[in-house]
Amino acid sequence: AAPEDEAWLRFCVAAQRFCDVIESVSEFSDADSFYAAIAEPLAVLYAAGLTLPWYPPSDDDIDIDGLGSGEWRALFTSINALTGNDDPYRTVFDPHNDTDLVEAPLAGDLADVYRDVQPVTTWDDPDRLADLQFEVRSSFQGHWGRHAVEAMRAIHWRRGYW
């Protein structure tokens, strides 16, 4: 297989593994066990995103069906119910230009990553695979990759790796 095909397959496996943990959030008894379970799949997913080549955009309007706002809110609420007081953390949006700290929800970061990569796990339209690949790669650069980095940092500190 071509290197770009292998990178895509690695990404699909990583996306499935991450989504499996997120989808089982209600099965965790405490935040620490959830953090232990999600830390590696999140890091592997991010690393797999780094290796994705740039896919050319389609001439069609790209509409990748992910979570709707109600589904996203339900997922956010489920994660937040588990993480509780551990959920909010402080950060800056642009580490090169911002100096003001903002509070961000870890549950929001994880729900956003899930929303952007979950379609990979259920995609069944081979004729539009290029659309999905383009969307996932571009949203890695502009959206979910940033949320993944922030979530990894917050989880790293919550787990006491300092």
Side-chain angles (χ1 to χ4, degrees):
E4 61 272 9
D5 294 335
E6 292 174 12
W8 178 251
L9 291 175
R10 275 192 309 275
F11 181 80
C12 291
V13 169
Q16 185 66 62
R17 191 166 163 229
F18 170 80
C19 289
D20 286 347
V21 175
I22 292 295
E23 290 166 4
S24 66
V25 70
S26 64
E27 298 172 19
F28 290 93
S29 59
D30 58 63
D32 289 339
S33 61
F34 175 67
Y35 297 149
I38 198 65
E40 184 186 358
L42 179 60
V44 169
L45 178 67
Y46 181 80
L50 287 172
T51 68
L52 289 175
W54 281 104
Y55 298 98
S58 168
D59 292 334
D60 300 331
D61 286 336
I62 298 172
D63 184 23
I64 306 302
D65 292 329
L67 293 182
S69 60
E71 294 167 309
W72 183 93
R73 175 59 61 190
L75 180 60
F76 171 89
T77 300
S78 295
I79 297 169
N80 186 256
L82 183 64
T83 57
N85 291 333
D86 280 350
D87 192 76
Y89 64 90
R90 287 181 296 253
T91 190
V92 293
F93 283 119
D94 178 349
H96 297 286
N97 296 310
D98 293 343
T99 56
D100 294 333
L101 291 176
V102 295
E103 192 168 278
L106 175 58
D109 287 327
L110 294 172
D112 276 354
V113 172
Y114 179 87
R115 174 176 43 200
D116 287 358
V117 303
Q118 186 278 335
V120 170
T121 68
T122 58
W123 196 256
D124 64 356
D125 186 352
D127 293 335
R128 300 209 46 223
L129 180 60
D131 292 341
L132 177 67
Q133 291 171 323
F134 172 79
E135 184 63 23
V136 167
R137 179 59 173 96
S138 62
S139 67
F140 169 75
Q141 190 69 29
H143 188 247
W144 75 262
R146 294 174 186 180
H147 285 286
V149 167
E150 292 292 343
M152 285 188 291
R153 190 173 65 82
I155 290 168
H156 184 82
W157 279 96
R158 291 288 187 235
R159 294 193 69 206
Y161 296 133
W162 64 101

